[in-house]
Amino acid sequence: MDKIRVTGGNQLEGAITISGAKNAALPLMIASLLTEETLTLENVPHLADVESLIRILTNHGVDYRVEGKRKGQDSRQGRTIEFTAGAIVDTTAPYELVSRMRASFWVIGPLLARMGEARVSLPGGCAIGTRPVDLFIDVLARLGADIKIENGYAVATTADGLVGAHYEFPKVSVGATHVALMAATLAKGRTVLSNAAREPEVADLARCLKAMGARIEGEGSSTITIDGVERLGGARHRVLPDRIETGTYAIAVAMTGGNVLLEGARPELLESALEALRSAGVGVERENGGIRVTRGNEPIRAVDITTQPFPGFPTDLQAQFMALMTRADGTAEITETIFENRFMHVQELARLGAHINLDGQTAVVEGVDELHGAQVMATDLRASVSLVIAGLAARGTTTVNRVYHLDRGFERLEDKLSRCGAVIERVSE
Ligand code: UD1
């Protein structure tokens, strides 16, 4: 199994190109199930999760074709992939495929909307809490589906197709909003989703669905209105830049000090995280189609954060921000409100010398003068990158084991960091 070995101490200097967002690419790919025409997605990142989803989609009968490179494009840009679900040959998403990644459960929405049936294994993914599927079942039932849980599968059917309805989510869920949005595009009549997720990836999916012929209003706000149409067609859509990757590299620069341009990053996608960095004393400026992040020798100030649905501080940057706070001048409180078990990086950061006490859903991080390298274990996708970031600023060498988590969500991480002067390598065993 691969490991990442980081030797800390170098400042980061240079430029990093931000990839297409994993969390947008996955639902967009799934949306291809809604039409027999071709959906072409540009800027699709090279990630293990994208490959897993391709396997799932091909099992349902989707053909895909990776477009060749165009003039002026280099290998650091995302791929353009055409997805064509000419005929859905199988409405079952089996355990072997779905258990690797939670988002694959989301195929339930389009399969049900287009075929009137879906049998989808209950999901796996990062071990960051129980992550149930009650909201998916509830909203699809409200749209007229009959859903049972049988032998670890959600089995959904509709007698006469889905029918639009009003549904208020009792809790904000990104995935359940994606699924409801996709399902409602082909339902009869109007659907109104209240307390919907406002994440930029939801709005990106809605924009793509509109290009496919869907009638949607209010995406990006907490009330989304969808008027069902008979059928959707093909479209071409560019995946928006990854705000979590952007925030991760911004935090890495804050941690090591230095000066890096995050190319293609869009500040409006992560204002709350950028604001937290500014409060910590980090320079963050919009520049030339990107964001420039700088920190000199000034100390990192302690900043309290609480994770919230968008536009609040993203849970997917909590671990990375905690890594930064381990070196702060003072004590920071980091409160996690989205997932109940998302502090597994705490004990690994402690191995590097961090002082962190857990008090329920709050981690109290007392900054230390120095971290020191150690062997650590990646436990989930975002936690593992927090260990890499901490390693970049630690004295000596840090080895992050089980990096397959990283490959699920970060494209060419070691390449992007080493181009900016980090001493980082992948070690295969
Ligand atoms: C998505 C993101 C993930 C991010 C999360 C929160 C993707 C591929 N993944 O995950 O990176 O951390 O949003 O921003 O986009 N919940 C229920 N019942 C349900 C569904 C969810 O109780 O049926 C709970 C979850 O356990 C969690 C909360 O709702 O506590 C939010 O989860 P949700 O927004 O659904 O996260 P995901 O869509 O899985």
Side-chain angles (χ1 to χ4, degrees):
M1 217 178 277
D2 287 2
K3 299 174 176 187
I4 296 270
R5 197 176 286 151
V6 192
T7 303
N10 285 9
Q11 297 212 329
L12 296 176
E13 304 278 344
I16 293 177
T17 305
I18 298 304
S19 299
K22 168 181 90 79
N23 286 356
L26 300 177
L28 289 165
M29 289 164 65
I30 290 173
S32 69
L33 290 167
L34 288 164
T35 174
E36 71 276 9
E37 292 182 22
T38 300
L39 176 63
T40 305
L41 297 177
E42 298 175 1
N43 202 28
V44 178
H46 289 89
L47 297 170
D49 274 7
V50 166
E51 301 308 320
S52 299
L53 184 56
I54 286 178
R55 277 194 290 280
I56 290 169
L57 294 177
T58 53
N59 182 59
H60 293 304
V62 176
D63 285 325
Y64 74 101
R65 194 179 78 87
V66 179
E67 277 188 5
K69 257 191 260 171
R70 298 291 181 263
K71 212 170 169 215
Q73 218 180 340
D74 70 24
S75 60
R76 285 182 286 161
Q77 277 160 334
R79 292 173 296 176
T80 297
I81 311 184
E82 296 168 5
F83 296 92
T84 312
I88 305 284
V89 296
D90 193 343
T91 53
T92 294
Y95 174 78
E96 304 76 67
L97 298 175
V98 177
S99 58
R100 290 160 162 260
M101 178 179 54
R102 182 174 163 85
S104 41
F105 184 75
W106 303 349
V107 297
I108 194 166
L111 287 176
L112 187 59
R114 181 164 158 195
M115 305 300 291
E117 60 173 41
R119 186 170 166 271
V120 183
S121 171
L122 296 173
C126 284
I128 53 174
T130 47
R131 298 179 106 183
V133 292
D134 53 318
L135 301 175
F136 295 80
I137 291 176
D138 215 33
V139 66
L140 291 174
R142 182 65 63 88
L143 296 177
D146 180 21
I147 308 191
K148 300 188 280 281
I149 303 290
E150 277 175 10
N151 309 103
Y153 281 76
V155 182
T157 50
T158 64
D160 287 315
L162 295 172
V163 181
H166 189 147
Y167 183 80
E168 179 165 354
F169 289 97
K171 178 176 189 176
V172 177
S173 162
V174 174
T177 303
H178 281 314
V179 163
L181 186 56
M182 287 190 274
T185 57
L186 292 179
K188 285 189 205 84
R190 173 168 287 194
T191 298
V192 180
L193 302 173
S194 307
N195 199 27
R198 289 182 282 167
E199 267 65 6
E201 294 76 19
V202 172
D204 202 38
L205 172 65
R207 271 192 296 277
C208 177
L209 292 169
K210 282 170 143 174
M212 293 164 72
R215 291 172 56 203
I216 302 171
E217 275 174 34
E219 69 273 18
S221 78
S222 53
T223 303
I224 308 178
T225 304
I226 306 115
D227 285 304
V229 294
E230 284 277 306
R231 59 180 296 278
L232 295 176
R236 191 174 180 100
H237 180 85
R238 185 171 177 81
V239 178
L240 93 172
D242 196 318
R243 64 195 166 98
I244 303 305
E245 190 195 28
T246 304
T248 300
Y249 290 124
I251 293 171
V253 179
M255 187 87 182
T256 61
N259 183 336
V260 172
L261 177 63
L262 302 174
E263 290 171 337
R266 281 175 36 196
E268 67 276 15
L269 301 181
L270 72 162
E271 267 311 328
S272 61
L274 296 180
E275 208 35 59
L277 282 173
R278 287 190 191 102
S279 304
V282 180
V284 179
E285 300 292 336
R286 179 191 290 263
E287 182 185 313
N288 266 345
I291 304 175
R292 182 167 297 279
V293 184
T294 51
R295 186 171 75 80
N297 291 328
E298 60 278 12
I300 298 162
R301 289 197 290 267
V303 178
D304 298 340
I305 56 143
T306 298
T307 62
Q308 296 287 354
F310 191 85
F313 191 97
T315 174
D316 287 349
L317 287 174
Q318 181 254 106
Q320 297 89 314
F321 200 78
M322 190 184 297
L324 179 65
M325 289 299 109
T326 64
R327 292 292 314 284
D329 189 12
T331 300
E333 290 191 1
I334 297 188
T335 304
E336 173 60 52
T337 70
I338 310 288
F339 293 108
E340 77 269 25
N341 187 20
R342 207 172 204 186
F343 280 140
M344 286 170 304
H345 42 286
V346 167
Q347 61 190 32
E348 301 302 307
L349 288 169
R351 294 176 59 77
L352 300 175
H355 287 179
I356 306 171
N357 281 308
L358 281 183
D359 180 8
Q361 289 299 92
T362 298
V364 181
V365 188
E366 191 193 320
V368 294
D369 286 342
E370 191 172 84
L371 298 175
H372 44 79
Q375 294 262 356
V376 287
M377 189 76 87
T379 48
D380 72 60
L381 172 52
R382 312 302 178 182
S384 43
V385 83
S386 76
L387 301 172
V388 173
I389 288 176
L392 290 173
R395 177 189 285 270
T397 299
T398 297
T399 306
V400 184
N401 295 293
R402 287 209 201 155
V403 294
Y404 60 85
H405 287 295
L406 272 181
D407 297 332
R408 289 189 42 212
F410 287 91
E411 184 174 10
R412 296 183 303 100
L413 174 96
E414 61 274 27
D415 177 44
K416 290 187 181 190
L417 285 170
S418 60
R419 280 168 188 267
C420 290
V423 181
I424 179 167
E425 61 175 350
R426 179 176 292 256
V427 188
S428 299
E429 287 191 340

